[in-house]
Structure formats: structure tokens, C-alpha cells
Amino acid sequence: MKLDARVPSGPLPQKWENFKKDQKLVNPANKRKFRVLVVGTGLAGGAAAATLAELGYEVLAFCFQDSPRRAHSIAAQGGINAAKNYQNDGDSVWRLFYDTIKGGDFRARESNVHRLAEVSVNIIDQCVAQGVPFAREYGGLLENRSFGGAQVSRTFYCRGQTGQQLLLGAYQALSRQIHAGQVKMFPRTEMLDLVVIDGRARGIVVRHLESGKVESFAGDAVLLATGGYSNLYYLSTNAQGCNVTATYRAYKRGAAFANPCYTQIHPTCIPVSGDHQSKLTLMSESLRNDGRVWVPKDPTDVGKHPNDIPDANRDYILERLYPSYGNLAPRDVSSRAAKRVCDEHRGVGPGGRGVYLDFADAIRRQGEPKIRAKYGNLFDMYQRITAENAYQRPMRIYPALHYTMGGLWVDYHLMSNIDGLFVLGEANFSDHGANRLGASALMQGLADGYFVIPYTLGNYFASTKQDRRSADASEFKAVEAEVTGQVKRLLSVNGKRPASEFHRELGKVIWDNVGMSRTKQSCEAAVSKIRGLREEFWQTVSVPGTADNLNVALERAGRVADFLEFGELLATDALLRNESCGGHFREEYQYPDGEAKRDDEHYTHAAAFEYQGDDKPPTRHQEPLNYETVKPAVRSYK
Amino acid sequence: MKFTLHIWRQANRTAPGRMETHAIDGITGDMSFLEMIDLLNEKLLREGKEAIAFDHDCREGICGSCSMMIDGQAHGPERGAATCQLHMRSFADGADIIVEPWRVGAFPVIRDLSVDRGAFDRIIQSGGYVSVNTGGTPDGNALPVPKPHQERAMDAAECIGCGACAAACPNASAMLFVSAKVGHLGALPQGQAERSERAKNMVAAHDREGFGHCTFYGECEAACPKSISTEYITQLNSDYLASAAKAVVKG
Ligand SMILES: Cc1cc2nc3c(=O)[nH]c(=O)nc-3n(C[C@H](O)[C@H](O)[C@H](O)COP(=O)(O)OP(=O)(O)OC[C@H]3O[C@@H](n4cnc5c(N)ncnc54)[C@H](O)[C@@H]3O)c2cc1C
Ligand code: FES
């Protein structure tokens, strides 16, 4: 397999300019002859579908929810970064680039990240023009807040609902194109396979969830913008429907899956309260602007009411360990700090898995109304779930799975190793290395959709011979038959165990063994346990009903079946990466103070896995990461 | 806690539906309403019976997927909350609970508790946007927006498009939904150019979809998980009249 990143020539800040200068263009009159299949209409896919349609391409867009407005992006709370430097506090494209590279623990591709920082400024302008109601100062100008891993204030936000407002902006732009007849939208439609003929992505096979009908669509390019795979862990902050099916099935058709073990654990989530729980709720990281993280110094104090523990007996962990970033230390670092103190039996709340996030000082300093104005909806959400009032006693928080940096491998053009298959947003692996900084996933999704793919896809069409196949071709029919076969197989097991039960067990295996920290033994244990579970699944899963109507148990079982295979790939990657970096923490590789220890000599590369068959191990390929501009350093937030 | 659930079952759009009764035990107060249905579904699957279909995704009150009439109230008894944010501690132990889909002609039931809300998408498609293409937009700070205007826009923009307003309205009117989008964009300078056209087109689309007329019962605001105010409907009416007046002047 050839992994050519196709990075344009020239010095880093000129690469994107050079690409645009050299790109080939499609004649406007010819654009309508190209059909683009966009799978997923969250921020990345929604923005791409709208923009490509505006340019004149024929767009077919798919999502599994009943409306594109409901994609998981809707739930993002905190904000979106951009190098606008409106605060005059020393921000620049370079600084955003550098923070992102460093935040990613020097495991991302420089050229992609620099482009991301460059176009970040356009995103804000675009969204403002669409009517996204970003927070404003009294003078009417845009307001910013700070996020983890940065010493400047560059995060734009809409109360605690930034993702919602950005997605509605993209959704409305998409709706306008649907109205204009440029986009045909297929909601409640799930992509179940990719069709590759002669090495090129030619189309997809979907199942219409309401009618159960399996159908093929042919196009000139396929864009996957299907989001991340955090739900492999069962409990995560992601929406229930988030899954790995589209990208995993593309992997089985030859697309390389890169760095699956790079997963992000978010430090500020509401702790687990019981087995019945179906998801964990995130408390936005923006809370760490004003909240102070602490636990009792003495394990015997953990049962006390927090307000009865005097300051002298509290350990403000992040302020102590990372004085220059304090409570705004990056996510991976903060999460591990929380885990460590809980392992020392200093955790609070049920099961001892929690730390306090305390607003008492901020309330004293700024007054309750100011705190309410900034975070009111988050405090309400917290109270609804825990029945506790965070204005009066500190919140309890604990890390939870939140985001996945790994994804399908893409080059600078966002094209996978399969010709004509492009991957956008959280579904690809491109920009965040081994750890993502807060407020940069929204930025990446919109950058990919609004400002990158419209250029790189045009270049692809202009430089490749158009050769669209018919969806009636035998190759499509063969894939359709496989999809139908898998559906039938699920329906015919006739077991007694719901798929959700396997999902819960799988999640526990993965969280315990390949979660916040990993070892060689734990990764190996995960692989063997997952194999056992998978076998059991295919013997005992219960999927009643039929294939020809809305069957929620069938949908769930299909997604769990893919997670049961994909989990093994993730654990394998974690096993083979013998270093700690970002979200991937191997206990064998750490400094005496517990910080992650990279091995730049052997692991400054992206690992891209190539599927070899169900009972053969995948091949691990490497894309070396050449740091031409930045010198990888020990990542310190002290 | 234990409950007796009476749940609407319907095989597809055209099949007749009926209520089905299920006893459920072992529920705790910190479970969400949907987690209770999950538990019931797991039980059904273990018995080889089909799971109850319902829409849900984010489970934190923001995606607008969940949509249940609970004891005749859209999203149940708690104010300012979607079904997924409703916790079982809001119910008395041992209660009978009636669970139905939205009952609105414009939202046909597709199965059990799942309805087709495509009508809302089509209303947005008729004009719920600012007509700008990607690229070539002015700097974000080029046009200052007074904070109160931005706050007013945001209050309306919070709408999650769940359909509770129409489900709660005795006339099955979705005017709160329409007015929230018109109110959001109308409060911002970016939305001015198309302001009256937008109101006109969206109201026309609303009527075409078969939603009823608004006669100000106010049930929508009470059911809205985001507590969006009916003030926006008043504003919509004046935008709509302005567009009608313009049409007369032109005509
Ligand atoms: C609670 C929470 C808060 C967050 N807050 C922030 C924040 O403040 N700032 C920030 O930058 N990031 C934040 N993130 C991360 C960010 O929201 C996501 O990374 C980002 O929105 C992903 O966008 P996307 O377009 O790639 O995918 P998604 O929004 O997940 O969209 C995926 C799309 O793919 C479709 N799809 C998936 N599979 C299939 C299939 N098989 N067939 C058809 N369609 C399919 C779905 O229907 C959907 O339309 C947050 C994440 C969470 C969980
Ligand atoms: S499931 Fe998203 S709002 Fe209820």
C-alpha cells in the first residue's frame, strides 16, 4: 500500500497557497455533470454538501437521523477556535498551528494543521454571515473565551450551544440547496458498504431505515463525514447513534485506518452513577475557565461534605502540577491527573471515581449572576442529572470517552488511499495527532467542509478521467447481496441476548484495558476477550422482527457487530505503539513524575492499518511525519 | 420503583395502532425516561419480541430527536425539558404512564413512537436561512451586533426542532417553530435583507404541510423544552403583515 500524503511544495505557510495556485479547475458548466455522494451531514458533511452544491455539483447526501439537523455535532457546547486575534493577546495563525501540533503531542501532519489554522479565520466570517448568533461584547463585537491547551483567548461561542448553532448554520445552507434542487437529501438512511471497482470508489450501498430497502448509489466521488467511534466504549459523551460502521466497512474494502488507538478522554464529565446508564454527559471544558479542580489531601476526608473541608486540606491538583496552565491544562493531562488521585483513593462521590470542580472562588470574585450568565445551562443540566446545586457545592466530575483522533487515513487533499474516497471531520485522522485541543473539532469539521474539500475535490475531478459506473453494475449487485446477507444473518441467530448487552460488555473490556491507560498485557487481554464476545454475539444475539421495516434492534445489532471487530483493531494498534503520546498512555512508558514518554526515534509516524481478511492480522503501514518547521519537544504544561 | 406502561404500538404508517401494556420493575429515580424504555426493550428482546421504536440520539436535550407524549403532555410533566432529560424521580412509584407518539397530522407515525417530521425540514427549506454562499463574506467584526439583539436571536435560535409545540397545540399549529427561526434571523443585521420574504414563505410552507392555525392557546410555550416564548409569534405576525403590506404596495 502506498501512503503518499501529497503535500504541496514550498515553505509551510505557502503550501496551501501553492496548492491553490497549481490546482486544476472544473469548468463551471461541467460541474453539474459530477455527482458527489456525501455520507454524513454533521458539521463536516453538511458544510461540504452545501458548498459543493453551491458550486454546481450534483450532491446526494445521507444521514441516519430523521433530519440532518440532528447530527451529533449539535451537542458540542464550548466553542470553536479561530486565529482572529480579536483580543489582541498575541494570537496568530502560527500560534494556533503550534498549539495544535503541540497539543497533538507531535503526532499530526504539519501541513494539514497549518492549513487548518489558516482557514480558521474564514470559518468565523462565514458563520457570522449565515446568522450564527455568536456571543458579543457590549460594543457589538465578537467575544472570546479561553480553552485548554492555549494561553490566548481565541474561542468563539454561542452560550453553551456552539455546536448547535454552527450545525444549524450548515443545515440551513444545506436546506437552501435542497430547496434549489442541487442536493437530494436521504435522511433515515444508513450506509452499509462502499463499492470499489478497479481501485476507485464508485458508490455506496445503503439501507433505508424505514422501508428496510437496500439500495445502491453510484457517484463520481464518495465523501465520508460519518463522525467518530467513541461509542465503542459504550459509555461516552457521544450521541447514541454514533458508530464506526461507515468507516469500518470502508476499511474492509481497502481504506487504511490510521491511529485507531488515539482516543480522547474528556476530563469534565458527570461521573457514572449506575449500570443502567446509557451515556455520560459532558460538562463543557469552558467551565475550567472559572472552576478549580481539587480533591481532599487526605483519603479519610473523601466522605465529608466538600464545604466542610478547609482550603488547607484540599489538593488543587492541576494548579499544583501544572502551575503555568493550571486548570486549563490539556485534556489528556488533566484526565490522567484525575485518574491518579482516584487511584490513590482520594476520589469523591459514588465509587470514589470523581474529583471536584469548584466555583466558590469565581462566585465570590465575580458574583453569581455573572457565573449564571456564562454557564447557567450547564449548571441546570448538572442539577437535572445529579439533583445537586453546583452554585452551592462543587460539581463532581470524572473523565469519559469523548472524541476519537484516529480515523481513516487521508492525504493532504483529504483523499483516502482509495482513489475517489474522501474523508472529512472526525471520521478522518488528519489534524489532531494523538490528542485534540478543545474547540478544534468544530473548527476542523467546518474547515474540511467549507474551505478544503471544495478545492481538493475540484482538483480531483479536473485531473481524473470521469468514469462513473451504473448502480446496476454487477459489482454493485454483489455488494448489495453481501449487505443483505449480513442483515439476514443477524435476523436468523434467534438468540436471547439484546445487542446492547454485548455493547455494554465490550465497552467495559475496552475501557478497562485500552482506556485512560494501557499496558502490553491489557491490550492483549482486550483482544482475546473481544474475540470471545464476538463469537458469543453471533450465537446468542436476539434480533426479532423483519428486514423490511423500521427495526431498531436490527440497526443496533449491525453497529455493535462492527464495533466487535473494530475494537480488536484499536487494541492491536495500542499494543503495537510502544510509547506514550497524547491520549495513548502506555504505563510502561512514562517519566518518573507520571508524564507521558514519547519515543520519537521509533514512532514519529502515523500507523495505518490495511485489512487482510477476517482471520488474518491487518498490515501496519507507516506514514513518517516530517517535522520541517517545528521541533518536537517534551510536551510540558508546567 | 415500578410502573405500568401503556405504550402505543403501530407496525408502520398504514397499519392500525393499539396500546400495549407492560409492567416494569427495578427502576431508579436517577434513570431517565428513555433509559427506562431501554430496559423494557432489553426485556422484550430477551423474550424474542420486537423492540419499541422511538427516536433518540443525543440524550441531553439538544438534538430534538426524542418525542413522546407522556400522560398526554409533550415531553411529559417536567417544564423546559425534552423526554431524554426527564428522570423517573418525577413520577410516583407505582404509577400508570401512558406513552404515545406526537399526534399531529403533519407528522405521520412511521412506527410505534417514531414519527416523520420531514415537514419541519421542508419549512426551513422554504426560507429559514440567510442566502449566502460559502466564501467572500466580510470580516466577522465588520458589522457590530448590539448584545441585546444577539441575545434575542439566540433565545429563538435555541429551538431544537422536536415538534413538541405542534404536538401540544390543540390546533396542531407549529407557529412557535416557524416564529423561532424567523425571530432568530430577524433579530440580526444579516437576516434583514430577506426578512419579510422569509416570513411569508415559511408561513406558506407551514400551512401547506397541513399544520393548524395559531389561535394563541399558549400550550406550545409550556411544552417547549427550550421554553421559547410566544412573543416570537407576535413578532412573526408583524413581519408577516409587513410582507403582505409590501405585496399590496407592489401590486
Ligand atoms: C458532548 C460533546 C461536546 C463537544 N464540544 C465540542 C466543542 O465545544 N468544540 C469542539 O470543537 N468540538 C466539540 N466536540 C466534538 C465535535 O462535536 C465533534 O467532533 C464534531 O461535531 C464531529 O462532526 P462531524 O461532522 O465529523 O460528525 P458528526 O456530527 O458526528 O456527524 C456524523 C454524520 O454522519 C452520519 N452517519 C454516521 N454513520 C452513518 C452511516 N453509516 N450512514 C449514513 N450516515 C451516517 C450521521 O447521521 C451524521 O449526520 C464535542 C463533542 C461532544 C460529544
Ligand atoms: S435525544 Fe436528543 S433531545 Fe432528546
Side-chain angles (χ1 to χ4, degrees), chain A residues 6 20 30 76 78 84 159 224 226 267 291 308 411 481 491 496 512 536 589 606 631:
Chain A
R6 294 198 290 159
K20 288 196 278 192
N30 283 340
K84 281 287 199 184
R159 293 190 189 150
L224 297 186
T226 49
D308 295 339
D411 62 15
L491 287 166
K496 287 273 168 280
D512 289 345
E536 233 180 285
Y589 309 101
K631 208 174 136 351

Side-chain angles (χ1 to χ4, degrees), chain A residues 264-286:
Chain A
Q264 176 164 81
I265 317 259
H266 196 295
T268 53
C269 302
I270 302 180
V272 180
S273 67
D275 278 346
H276 59 269
Q277 218 160 336
S278 56
K279 78 162 290 173
L280 294 173
T281 302
L282 174 78
M283 291 281 98
S284 168
E285 172 164 310
S286 61

Side-chain angles (χ1 to χ4, degrees), chain B residues 34 56-66 82 84 160:
Chain B
L34 297 187
H56 65 105
D57 202 19
C58 74
R59 297 208 173 188
E60 48 190 64
I62 191 76
C63 73
S65 295
C66 62
C84 58
I160 60 174

Side-chain angles (χ1 to χ4, degrees), chain A residues 119 123 138 144 153 187 203 206 220 239 262 288 315 331 367 377 419 502 538-539 550 576:
Chain A
V119 304
I123 297 173
Y138 278 101
N144 291 120
S153 202
V206 305
D220 295 295
Y262 289 166
R288 292 200 277 144
D315 178 7
R331 294 178 172 174
N377 70 320
D419 202 46
F502 289 96
W538 284 106
Q539 280 158 13
L550 184 69
L576 296 177

Side-chain angles (χ1 to χ4, degrees), chain A residues 86 159 171 241 500 542 550, chain B residues 42 45 57 111 121 139 151:
Chain A
Y86 283 158
R159 293 190 189 150
Y171 160 74
S500 51
S542 161
L550 184 69
Chain B
E42 290 200 347
L45 291 175
D57 202 19
R111 181 157 206 192
D121 287 327
D139 184 85
E151 295 284 349

Side-chain angles (χ1 to χ4, degrees), chain A residues 40-41 43-44 64-65 72-73 78-79 191 402-403 426 439-442:
Chain A
T41 45
L43 283 180
F64 68 75
Q65 289 93 347
H72 164 62
S73 294
M191 167 185 159
H402 177 59
Y403 181 88
E426 192 173 338
S440 50
L442 302 181

Side-chain angles (χ1 to χ4, degrees), chain A residues 265 335-336 339 398-399 511 514-518 583-585:
Chain A
I265 317 259
S335 295
R336 279 198 295 276
K339 177 179 189 290
Y398 196 66
W511 175 251
V514 211
M516 248 191 290
S517 70
R518 300 122 189 227
H584 170 64
F585 189 76

Side-chain angles (χ1 to χ4, degrees), chain A residues 167-233:
Chain A
L167 182 62
L168 292 181
Y171 160 74
Q172 288 163 201
L174 176 63
S175 297
R176 178 169 160 248
Q177 294 307 312
I178 295 172
H179 189 65
Q182 289 291 114
V183 176
K184 195 158 168 23
M185 182 73 219
F186 297 88
R188 286 199 201 273
T189 305
E190 185 168 32
M191 167 185 159
L192 292 181
D193 222 327
L194 176 74
V195 180
V196 181
I197 308 173
D198 302 335
R200 261 171 91 168
R202 309 289 183 161
I204 58 173
V205 173
V206 305
R207 180 169 176 270
H208 297 284
L209 298 179
E210 187 188 337
S211 66
K213 192 169 159 237
V214 171
E215 190 182 0
S216 292
F217 290 90
D220 295 295
V222 176
L223 272 53
L224 297 186
T226 49
Y229 50 84
S230 295
N231 277 352
L232 168 65
Y233 288 75

